[in-house]
């Protein structure tokens, strides 16, 4: 993990950091399971850990903000249809931030069973 990303995670409260790290692991596992994705760039976007495939998909960003201290989220570009697709499959089981992300309460374990297909869709978005 790059130093700046490690520092960004360290600045997040533990109740958000632990589930965000679980999603990070799922992102890398998803990328590793699909040769079309290739290596990911782990960088900061808007000061938040972000995972960008070279050419196969769109960036996935993990975020927590002191402006919304009781929640954290998984975000993608609002120019995609990814959140729309997630709504179609998960419906009201998840809470959304418009067309750019899915939100979770602090301390909530991420529903990785629902998120893994979403992550795969994001990391291969440009291949469709």
């Amino acid at each position: 993990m790059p130093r700046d990303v490690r520092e960004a995670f360290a600045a997040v409260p533990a109740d958000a950091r632990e589930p965000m790290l679980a999603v990070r692991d799922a992102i890398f596992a998803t990328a590793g399971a699909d040769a079309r994705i290739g290596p990911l760039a782990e960088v900061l976007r808007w000061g938040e850990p972000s995972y960008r495939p070279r050419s196969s998909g769109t960036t996935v960003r993990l975020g927590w903000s002191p402006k919304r201290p009781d929640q954290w989220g998984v975000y993608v570009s609002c120019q995609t249809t990814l959140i729309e697709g997630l709504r179609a499959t998960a419906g009201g089981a998840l809470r959304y931030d418009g067309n750019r992300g899915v939100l979770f309460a602090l301390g909530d374990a991420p529903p990785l069973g629902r998120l893994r297909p979403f992550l795969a869709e994001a990391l291969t978005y440009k291949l469709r």
Side-chain angles (χ1 to χ4, degrees), residues 6 32 38 42 57 62 69-70 72-73 76 80 82 87 108 117 128:
R6 187 173 51 251
E42 185 172 26
L62 305 176
D70 60 336
W72 62 278
V76 293
T80 69
L82 290 163
R87 271 194 183 107
D108 281 357
R128 289 183 287 291

Side-chain angles (χ1 to χ4, degrees), residues 38-68:
L40 298 177
E42 185 172 26
V43 299
L44 292 182
R45 291 278 186 255
W46 298 283
E48 297 173 333
S50 301
Y51 304 88
R52 185 182 66 228
R54 287 207 173 127
S55 60
S56 63
T58 192
T59 299
V60 177
R61 182 170 47 90
L62 305 176
W64 172 87
S65 170
K67 293 178 183 178
R68 294 180 176 178

